[in-house]
Amino acid sequence: MIDPPAVLPESGRALSRLPDPVPAHPLLEGLVEIGRGEFSIVLDAGDGERVFKVVSSPADYFYLAADDRPTGIHFPRVFADHGVVGKASNGYSFRLVEVERLRPVAGDAAQLARLLAAAYWEGCEKWANMGVNRGRLALYHIAQEPPPALPASLVDAVAKLSDFIEEYPVQPDILNPDNLMMRADGTLVLADPVFLP
């Protein structure tokens, strides 16, 4: 990504890792933890295609499980919502969602991620006087006046994400390098681009 956004998400919050243990659940027994974020734990489903994501943030859950969540080639494929599986130390319920396995960006996907993050950061700086809403405005303007190198499918995805953010009590977070990932075929995926303000 670009500096300083690669160090801190747009919200300015320091990046941390969820301290909770993996909740006890039959679907998670014996699975290997492969990732951990501020509000989630990711476990390998064992088939190379899927992961089980334990989320403790309502923002993550809305993004993955809401009926009107954004869908398309640049959004994670969701296979199943297994519901509440415990309670996190942050006070929210742990929810278990089965999603496609994604990988860190590389190659063309990394170039697109850098381009998107740079356009977003530029928008956040331009709209800094709008405070917490600067990210919303930055996304909206990328969708309306996209950088020429952004493919139409990614512009469409940004527009869908912008619409989703307008409907839910969440803010965008695409500057954290873990929030933009890719499929095995190299498609850039907006893996976890929202947070609760």
Side-chain angles (χ1 to χ4, degrees):
M1 294 292 140
I2 57 177
D3 290 323
V7 178
L8 292 176
E10 184 269 324
S11 65
R13 297 171 292 127
L15 299 175
S16 62
R17 301 288 179 225
L18 185 68
D20 301 58
V22 174
H25 190 276
L27 289 172
L28 304 178
E29 286 181 20
L31 298 185
V32 175
E33 181 179 321
I34 58 172
R36 186 175 283 256
E38 190 173 3
F39 298 105
S40 63
I41 305 168
V42 180
L43 297 108
D44 187 352
D47 63 2
E49 302 294 323
R50 298 169 301 122
V51 295
F52 287 101
K53 190 167 186 178
V54 179
V55 297
S56 67
S57 167
D60 294 347
Y61 184 69
F62 297 152
Y63 183 69
L64 293 173
D67 290 340
D68 59 346
R69 72 184 183 275
T71 59
I73 66 168
H74 295 290
F75 296 100
R77 294 180 187 125
V78 178
F79 299 111
D81 175 3
H82 297 287
V84 175
V85 296
K87 189 157 187 140
S89 60
N90 63 16
Y92 292 115
S93 294
F94 269 135
R95 296 180 180 271
L96 180 60
V97 185
E98 194 172 340
V99 298
E100 71 176 309
R101 184 178 185 137
L102 299 170
R103 290 140 178 85
V105 293
D108 290 343
Q111 288 181 313
L112 278 180
R114 280 191 293 277
L115 179 63
L116 179 59
Y120 180 73
W121 181 248
E122 183 180 311
C124 286
E125 288 183 319
K126 179 179 179 181
W127 298 102
N129 64 330
M130 298 303 290
V132 69
N133 288 315
R134 68 188 181 273
R136 290 173 182 262
L137 286 166
L139 273 187
Y140 175 79
H141 285 282
I142 290 171
Q144 298 304 309
E145 298 174 21
L150 277 188
S153 62
L154 191 53
V155 173
D156 180 60
V158 168
K160 287 179 178 179
L161 179 60
S162 179
D163 290 346
F164 176 78
I165 286 169
E166 289 305 314
E167 296 299 320
Y168 284 83
V170 300
Q171 292 287 337
D173 186 6
I174 61 172
L175 298 177
N176 179 340
D178 295 332
N179 292 351
L180 299 175
M181 300 188 79
M182 70 177 200
R183 291 193 179 93
D185 68 4
T187 302
L188 182 66
V189 177
L190 305 173
D192 189 13
V194 295
F195 72 97
L196 287 178

